[in-house]
Amino acid sequence: RETDCRAAVERVVSELGRIDVLVNNAGGSSERASVVDSDPAKWAETLAVNVLSVYYCTRAALPHLVRAGRGKIVNVGSGVGHAVAPGNAAYSTAKAGVWMLTQVLAQEVWPHGIDVNEVVPGPVLTRMTEGVFRTDAPPPFSPSERVKPPEEVAELILWLATRPPGG
């Protein structure tokens, strides 16, 4: 919810004095169906979790980042937001929205010294995926991929967050 995102950002600023980096790492979907067989409520939930959360948190952080004249925003995307995934339209559409929001936002805020990037880590072993993925085997949908531990993705995000402005 928008109010939760604003409260979280305000708490960070209150406790730490500023915000330098925003990582939008929400994701997931309980909707795995073709569009014709999909549940509209699950679609709305998927869009809220994946796109609206990024928008709400970013919108809450932006005034602080703009005022500081610097900052980093890293959005965690998905390969299915860049390619067709039949039977997974809700999640694909939502992550495509994150991809586009990342691009638009990057163009809007670079004059303020704020860098915006999307990380597309591929399959990651998390509590949500542990029933499907193993780190010692490729994911079932892509034999050429490698399942990564979350720490590996965190290292990439940290690298992006610590680059010089414009880097």
Side-chain angles (χ1 to χ4, degrees):
R1 296 182 321 193
E2 181 182 10
T3 55
D4 295 333
C5 292
R6 266 190 317 216
V9 167
E10 292 306 320
R11 182 173 177 190
V12 167
V13 172
S14 172
E15 291 183 14
L16 301 177
R18 66 180 201 249
I19 185 166
D20 298 311
V21 178
L22 172 66
V23 177
N24 289 305
N25 186 32
S29 176
S30 61
E31 179 62 270
R32 297 276 192 268
S34 65
V35 173
V36 72
D37 294 325
S38 65
D39 177 336
K42 287 182 179 180
W43 254 77
E45 178 185 315
T46 299
L47 291 174
V49 166
N50 292 279
V51 180
L52 289 179
S53 65
V54 172
Y55 166 74
Y56 292 150
C57 290
T58 300
R59 191 165 185 279
L62 274 176
H64 302 283
L65 297 171
V66 168
R67 193 167 28 259
R70 62 182 162 68
K72 304 285 185 175
I73 299 172
V74 180
N75 296 327
V76 178
S78 172
V80 300
H82 297 264
V84 176
N88 202 7
Y91 186 68
S92 295
T93 299
K95 286 302 188 178
V98 171
W99 173 49
M100 185 54 64
L101 178 58
T102 301
Q103 293 180 76
V104 169
L105 191 59
Q107 292 299 307
E108 291 180 354
V109 301
W110 73 265
H112 301 285
I114 302 166
D115 294 329
V116 185
N117 288 284
E118 178 192 34
V119 171
V120 180
V124 180
L125 185 64
T126 66
R127 283 193 309 263
M128 290 176 62
T129 64
E130 64 190 359
V132 179
F133 297 159
R134 295 187 345 242
T135 55
D136 63 343
F141 55 81
S142 180
S144 66
E145 285 269 8
R146 180 176 62 82
V147 177
K148 289 155 274 314
E151 296 80 10
E152 192 172 314
V153 180
E155 289 175 12
L156 175 58
I157 292 170
L158 180 61
W159 183 85
L160 280 171
T162 57
R163 303 298 349 129

